């Protein structure tokens, strides 16, 4: 009977029962590289600039829009306003026969400074924020924060800001009530316990010498002016993001996991980046997308709905075919994280179809919510193709669904790729504590996602 079961049943296995000692070394080596990149990539802009560094070192050059169709083995990239990145390696087949596209996003939930952030109350200085993406607001209080971003000046120049990353730097925080005085707060729902307008960052306390009002605010503005040459009006044209000041760390007594901010979706972004940097002569042109703005609906010029992608592909085609001809023969892996089964909260998952830590890269045929609404429902034929590619390459993978039916749901860039007439499937790393300031992944799943991306680029 066991033989019959072995033959007829589908039984996913824990990845650690499937890999050998050699692969464990490769896994550790890959995760070290991922962790180093993630540690230096705390915003979408930093992720893009760090990715460009690696790409340049691997022989990629900025796309020359006038150069004509991409040639076999040619490696180019396009920096979309410092916030999105498109990379390509020319295939042996012409663009008309389609590309293998992999699309991840490099923006993550965070606290953005408002355009007029600075104020003083009771002789303490604060920065007002408007959160970005889906956050549980209470998680963003009472943790160390650092500030990253740019201030664009009227003269056309920009000033890079990083405060709190260096050990010698000061850090920031949003305060929370002490339990002794939180009786009323604790009666509220978790959604209302900490309100958005209360997510103000404590920024300083020493008054400027002399008489008058707003002396702490003045002292803080004076510090920023000394360090960055900016005035209060310059915040108006700034993008400053407060992000958790946690280092990227190995997690667990057995070091089997990674704990870090921003793994959704930089963990998949690095997987496809690492894969394309090692791709030299693919059959079909390989394209790697690091998109911005996924967490707020893939909007804007740097989001996946932007025509920037059409423009890029048109240049790769160089007049040999239309971008649309190319799209219809392409396939895309929408590389985004998925929810891992959390044994502390099993009630939100349906165990048979939930992703598990260490079971490898998770394929999602569909995401969405309430009857798959808003999902890209990947064609069965494409799911079969990815099964074959991964099985042939020894990738540990699992089929999964984001949460129980009617429990909630989510989306990725997959729908926007499919809108372009590109066959698209979601595949990515299962995450615990997704969207929290400190997210958890398994090293094995990170590595297998990279291996999946590499196999997809190399597929015939
Ligand atoms: Mn994501
Ligand atoms: Mn997300």
């Amino acid at each position: 009977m066991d033989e019959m079961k072995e033959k007829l049943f589908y039984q996913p296995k824990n990845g650690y029962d499937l890999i050998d000692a050699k692969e464990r070394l490769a896994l550790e080596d890959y995760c070290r590289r991922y962790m180093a990149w993630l540690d230096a990539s705390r915003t979408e802009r930093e992720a893009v600039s760090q990715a460009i560094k690696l790409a340049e070192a691997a022989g990629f050059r900025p796309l020359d829009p006038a150069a004509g169709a991409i040639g076999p083995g040619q490696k180019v990239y396009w920096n979309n306003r410092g916030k999105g990145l498109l990379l390509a390696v020319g295939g042996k087949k012409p663009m008309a026969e389609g590309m293998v596209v992999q699309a991840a996003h490099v923006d993550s939930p965070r606290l953005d400074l408002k355009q007029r952030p600075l104020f003083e109350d009771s002789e303490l200085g604060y920065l007002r924020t408007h959160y970005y993406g889906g956050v549980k607001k209470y998680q963003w209080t009472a943790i160390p924060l650092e500030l990253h971003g740019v201030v664009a000046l009227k003269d056309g120049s920009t000033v890079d800001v990083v405060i709190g990353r260096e050990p010698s730097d000061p850090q920031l925080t949003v305060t929370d009530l002490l339990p002794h005085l939180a009786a009323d707060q604790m009666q509220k729902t978790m959604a209302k316990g900490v309100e958005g307008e209360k997510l103000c960052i404590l920024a300083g306390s020493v008054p400027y010498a002399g008489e008058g009002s707003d002396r702490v605010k003045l002292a803080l503005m004076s510090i920023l002016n000394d360090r960055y040459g900016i005035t209060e009006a310059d915040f108006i044209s700034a993008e400053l993001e407060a992000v958790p000041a946690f280092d990227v760390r190995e997690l667990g007594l057995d070091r089997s996991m990674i704990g870090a901010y921003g793994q959704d979706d930089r963990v998949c972004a690095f997987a496809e980046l690492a894969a394309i940097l090692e791709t030299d002569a693919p059959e079909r042109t390989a394209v790697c997308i690091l998109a911005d703005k996924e967490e707020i609906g893939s909007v804007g010029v740097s989001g996946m709905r932007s025509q920037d992608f059409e423009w890029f592909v048109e240049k790769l085609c160089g007049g040999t075919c239309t971008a649309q001809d190319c799209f219809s023969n392409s396939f895309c892996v929408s590389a985004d994280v998925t929810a891992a089964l959390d044994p502390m909260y099993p009630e939100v998952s349906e165990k048979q179809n939930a992703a598990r830590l260490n079971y490898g890269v998770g394929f999602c045929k569909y995401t969405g919510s309430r009857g798959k609404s808003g999902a890209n429902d990947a064609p069965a034929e494409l799911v079969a193709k990815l099964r074959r590619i991964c099985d042939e390459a020894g990738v540990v993978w699992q089929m999964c669904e984001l949460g129980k039916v009617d429990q909630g749901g989510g989306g990725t860039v997959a729908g926007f790729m499919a809108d372009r007439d590109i066959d698209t499937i979601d595949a990515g790393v299962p995450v615990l504590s997704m969207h929290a300031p400190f997210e958890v992944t398994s090293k094995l799943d990170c590595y297998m996602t990279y291996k999946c991306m590499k196999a997809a680029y190399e597929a015939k």
Side-chain angles (χ1 to χ4, degrees):
M1 199 170 75
D2 286 350
E3 250 174 59
M4 279 297 277
K5 283 186 179 169
E6 185 69 26
K7 185 177 162 204
L8 296 179
F9 284 4
Y10 169 61
Q11 190 53 57
K13 293 192 179 74
N14 188 303
Y16 280 100
D17 292 329
L18 297 169
I19 62 170
D20 58 17
K22 195 173 151 225
E23 189 141 48
R24 275 189 86 149
L25 288 177
L27 175 165
E28 293 292 342
D29 177 62
Y30 170 77
C31 288
R32 262 190 297 277
R33 290 193 288 140
Y34 162 53
M35 291 169 73
W37 179 80
L38 182 63
D39 215 22
S41 303
R42 301 199 165 236
T43 65
E44 68 287 4
R45 288 177 190 267
E46 290 175 1
V48 165
S49 62
Q50 292 296 323
I52 289 175
K53 267 190 207 167
L54 295 181
E56 287 270 358
F60 285 73
R61 293 294 170 260
L63 172 80
D64 173 2
I70 189 167
Q74 197 188 340
K75 299 179 175 186
V76 299
Y77 70 85
W78 182 253
N79 176 350
N80 182 1
R81 299 165 170 88
K83 299 200 254 185
L85 185 65
L86 301 165
L87 304 108
V89 180
K92 293 174 196 152
K93 294 179 176 168
M95 287 294 284
E97 292 189 39
M99 316 166 279
V100 178
V101 183
Q102 299 180 0
H105 66 93
V106 287
D107 60 316
S108 295
R110 60 188 189 242
L111 304 181
D112 283 340
L113 293 202
K114 291 193 184 194
Q115 295 335 113
R116 291 190 61 193
L118 192 59
F119 73 101
E120 171 175 341
D121 191 338
S122 310
E123 292 173 274
L124 294 175
Y126 290 92
L127 296 161
R128 293 188 197 278
T129 68
H130 191 146
Y131 64 94
Y132 173 96
V135 301
K136 292 163 91 174
K137 297 180 196 89
Y138 69 86
Q139 292 180 333
W140 293 74
T141 66
I143 59 168
L145 297 170
E146 46 192 57
L147 198 63
H148 294 237
V150 299
V151 181
L153 303 176
K154 281 200 287 182
D155 67 6
S157 63
T158 56
V159 182
D160 287 322
V161 172
V162 180
I163 300 173
R165 185 81 293 264
E166 292 303 314
S168 59
D169 260 6
Q171 295 181 331
L172 303 162
T173 196
V174 174
T175 58
D176 193 5
L177 267 182
L178 61 169
H180 317 63
L181 298 179
D184 291 343
Q185 183 195 37
M186 298 298 272
Q187 295 304 315
K188 294 180 182 171
T189 63
M190 287 168 92
K192 293 272 171 63
V194 174
E195 283 164 29
E197 289 292 354
K198 284 201 162 47
L199 293 175
C200 292
I201 295 167
L202 181 61
S205 66
V206 179
Y208 202 85
E211 299 289 315
S213 63
D214 279 340
R215 293 193 299 144
V216 174
K217 176 178 169 179
L218 181 60
L220 290 173
M221 210 52 248
S222 157
I223 289 168
L224 290 172
N225 186 257
D226 287 346
R227 186 159 168 171
Y228 297 110
I230 60 172
T231 66
E232 189 183 12
D234 295 325
F235 279 121
I236 289 169
S237 48
E239 288 177 352
L240 295 170
E241 308 174 9
V243 299
F246 302 135
D247 291 335
V248 179
R249 296 296 294 256
E250 291 182 301
L251 212 65
L253 300 179
D254 57 5
R255 301 173 181 268
S256 63
M257 296 167 283
I258 295 169
Y261 162 69
Q263 298 204 75
D264 173 8
D265 181 33
R266 294 177 196 136
V267 64
C268 297
F270 187 75
E272 53 173 53
L273 177 68
I276 202 166
L277 297 188
E278 292 162 9
T279 299
D280 290 317
E283 285 297 309
R284 295 199 279 170
T285 295
V287 172
C288 169
I289 304 174
L290 308 188
D292 182 28
K293 297 282 183 275
E294 191 278 340
E295 296 295 357
I296 59 168
S298 297
V299 295
V301 285
S302 50
M304 205 58 249
R305 291 155 112 156
S306 165
Q307 292 283 314
D308 181 70
F309 181 59
E310 275 72 8
W311 177 87
F312 179 73
V313 173
E314 200 183 295
K315 296 303 161 191
L316 297 184
C317 294
T320 59
C321 65
T322 66
Q324 204 55 53
D325 286 335
C326 176
F327 287 161
S328 57
N329 288 320
S330 299
F331 92 91
C332 173
V333 179
S334 164
D336 205 343
V337 297
T338 187
L341 172 73
D342 188 334
M344 294 301 108
Y345 300 94
E347 62 276 11
V348 302
S349 297
E350 181 268 286
K351 272 191 170 173
Q352 185 162 313
N353 286 283
R356 288 166 178 250
L357 240 55
N358 291 333
Y359 275 66
V361 54
F363 302 168
C364 290
K365 186 175 184 301
Y366 49 83
T367 56
S369 53
R370 296 176 307 282
K372 304 187 183 180
S373 180
N376 162 59
D377 200 354
E381 293 84 346
L382 181 60
V383 184
K385 178 174 171 162
L386 200 58
R387 281 176 65 193
R388 174 177 54 75
I389 290 172
C390 286
D391 283 345
E392 284 175 4
V395 175
V396 178
W397 61 271
Q398 56 186 325
M399 200 68 207
C400 56
E401 185 178 59
L402 195 143
K404 255 186 188 170
V405 176
D406 288 339
Q407 185 66 46
T412 66
V413 301
F416 307 116
M417 302 310 289
D419 286 347
R420 297 178 158 106
D421 195 26
I422 303 176
D423 277 328
T424 302
I425 180 167
D426 278 294
V429 178
V431 175
L432 290 169
S433 300
M434 194 198 292
H435 282 210
F438 197 66
E439 300 175 312
V440 177
T441 57
S442 114
K443 284 182 179 174
L444 184 137
D445 301 334
C446 296
Y447 171 72
M448 287 300 166
T449 300
Y450 150 75
K451 217 173 146 177
C452 165
M453 300 303 156
K454 204 161 145 62
Y457 278 142
E458 286 165 0
K460 294 268 185 291

